[in-house]
Amino acid sequence: SIASFLLFKEDAQPLIAALRDDTHVRAQMSFSVPAPDSRVEYDLWTSPADSLTRELQEDFQTAVAALSDHAYFTPHMYIYDGVFAGCHSEDGQ
């Protein structure tokens, strides 16, 4: 995917002019996100049934432990309804 962001028109005009002149343009995006402390906060969304990321899920605990003083990790698990997904019938079979 291509990162995108909005600019005020007066900020964008010099970039547009440079691009029209076939000039290379380099831009840096930065964000100011409020944080309660100096730790990086990150989330991981996955599913226990996802066989493609099973190795990552098993090995990720090492990274979480290594970053524990410098990062705040929040795991999220998608839990699917087995009956709805057709894994088994309503009688448990």
Side-chain angles (χ1 to χ4, degrees):
S1 67
I2 299 173
S4 63
F5 55 98
L6 299 174
L7 296 171
F8 288 108
K9 186 176 181 179
E10 60 270 11
D11 295 327
Q13 291 300 337
L15 298 174
I16 293 169
L19 291 169
R20 284 188 176 144
D21 290 340
D22 201 25
T23 303
H24 291 280
V25 174
R26 184 185 339 194
Q28 178 179 335
M29 294 188 301
S30 63
F31 303 90
S32 176
V33 178
D37 52 32
S38 62
R39 295 180 297 173
V40 172
E41 297 182 21
Y42 64 103
D43 297 52
L44 175 67
W45 290 84
T46 188
S47 166
D50 183 1
S51 61
L52 298 174
T53 61
R54 182 141 348 231
E55 185 177 343
L56 171 69
Q57 293 175 31
E58 292 169 356
D59 295 342
F60 204 69
Q61 183 176 0
T62 304
V64 171
L67 296 170
S68 65
D69 293 339
H70 307 287
Y72 183 77
F73 171 60
T74 305
H76 301 274
M77 291 286 175
Y78 291 110
I79 307 297
Y80 297 102
D81 180 339
V83 173
F84 181 77
C87 296
H88 56 82
S89 64
E90 291 184 24
D91 66 358
Q93 297 297 319

